[in-house]
Amino acid sequence: MKTPVLIIEHCEPIFSKWLELEYMHATQIWEYETIFTNVKDDNARKKLKKIGKVYEKSVIDLYKSKKCIVLDPLAQKEICTSDFNDIDAIIVGGILGDSPPQGRTYKLITARSNFAARNLGRKQLTIDSAVFVAKAVMLGMRISEIEIASEVEIKHSENHSTILPFGYPIIGSKVLITPGLIEYLKSKRHNI
Ligand SMILES: C[S@@+](CC[C@H](N)C(=O)[O-])C[C@H]1O[C@@H](n2cnc3c(N)ncnc32)[C@H](O)[C@@H]1O
């Protein structure tokens, strides 16, 4: 089995710090080749070039003749290890979580392409968590064997906290949360 390239199709209009942290963590988790597509913004391109290849064009055009799987929460079929046998790329939406989810992966990628689509279970995972789960499945695990927290609560003080209503993997007894995100959210809160 050749290892597929990870493609993150940048779909957000703004390249925020939160998105940047998730992209960085996603490439660290994947470890193999990562490509960012649909990156029109100069500032985003400059930063992303340090962690992967970057293209202005969408994956929908760039990879239209290749064999790809889009990770899409609305896909009918759950992904399994054999799905990775002969694909060129696994595609993740560069889309921040929303609550409730708006089906943006389907609207912006799946519905506009001929790529196959697979889900990673019923929970809406963050970009980096989706890459973690996809890699674990590629390496032989089943979705049902991967422990996922349904939400994460970030405590600011005794009476104040922020709930992130997204799925994050649990490794041992620890939640694998995007490095730097807690500090970022805490600093943002103090700036308000
Ligand atoms: C934070 S999610 C955004 C999902 C978006 N709100 C939607 O409704 O499509 C970021 C990306 O991770 C992947 N992802 C997250 N959870 C998933 C799931 N349960 N199944 C398949 N892909 C998932 C998708 O590629 C998605 O575009």
Side-chain angles (χ1 to χ4, degrees):
M1 180 180 95
K2 65 174 167 48
T3 307
V5 59
L6 169 68
I7 299 189
I8 300 182
E9 169 85 349
H10 180 58
C11 296
E12 292 289 355
I14 294 170
F15 182 61
S16 64
K17 184 71 189 171
W18 190 333
L19 200 56
E20 186 182 343
L21 290 171
E22 288 202 17
Y23 283 0
M24 276 177 58
H25 194 212
T27 61
Q28 286 161 5
I29 289 168
W30 187 247
E31 290 182 296
Y32 311 105
E33 188 181 7
T34 304
I35 293 178
F36 296 92
T37 51
N38 201 35
V39 187
K40 320 263 186 226
D41 171 77
D42 278 347
N43 172 47
R45 233 190 336 255
K46 221 158 100 188
K47 287 189 172 164
L48 293 175
K49 269 185 182 158
K50 294 183 188 151
I51 55 172
K53 282 191 192 146
V54 184
Y55 294 94
E56 206 173 330
K57 276 194 172 175
S58 165
V59 68
I60 298 165
D61 299 319
L62 275 175
Y63 271 67
K64 66 172 172 240
S65 53
K66 304 256 187 187
K67 200 159 176 217
C68 306
I69 288 180
V70 186
L71 298 174
D72 182 345
L74 292 183
Q76 300 273 312
K77 276 195 187 169
E78 191 175 274
I79 200 157
C80 64
T81 304
S82 61
D83 284 326
F84 288 88
N85 279 350
D86 61 345
I87 55 168
D88 298 301
I90 186 95
I91 302 166
V92 177
I95 301 172
L96 285 172
D98 32 29
S99 183
Q102 305 294 311
R104 284 196 289 155
T105 314
Y106 179 78
K107 285 181 212 150
L108 299 173
I109 310 174
T110 312
R112 294 180 177 177
S113 69
N114 291 320
F115 303 140
R118 295 285 185 273
N119 74 61
L120 297 166
R122 295 271 67 95
K123 287 177 188 157
Q124 179 183 204
L125 308 170
T126 60
I127 299 161
D128 47 348
S129 301
V131 170
F132 177 92
V133 173
K135 185 176 173 189
V137 173
M138 180 175 80
L139 296 178
M141 285 184 85
R142 282 196 218 121
I143 297 281
S144 57
E145 293 170 334
I146 305 166
E147 206 181 343
I148 305 285
S150 300
E151 58 177 36
V152 165
E153 181 176 11
I154 296 173
K155 283 241 174 233
H156 300 292
S157 67
E158 215 178 293
N159 301 318
H160 294 100
S161 63
T162 306
I163 303 267
L164 303 178
F166 314 120
Y168 286 94
I170 300 173
I171 303 172
S173 54
K174 283 188 97 180
V175 176
L176 181 67
I177 191 158
T178 322
L181 184 62
I182 294 177
E183 296 76 6
Y184 169 68
L185 291 176
K186 287 191 173 182
S187 71
K188 279 291 276 183
R189 197 173 168 274
H190 288 300
N191 288 340
I192 293 167

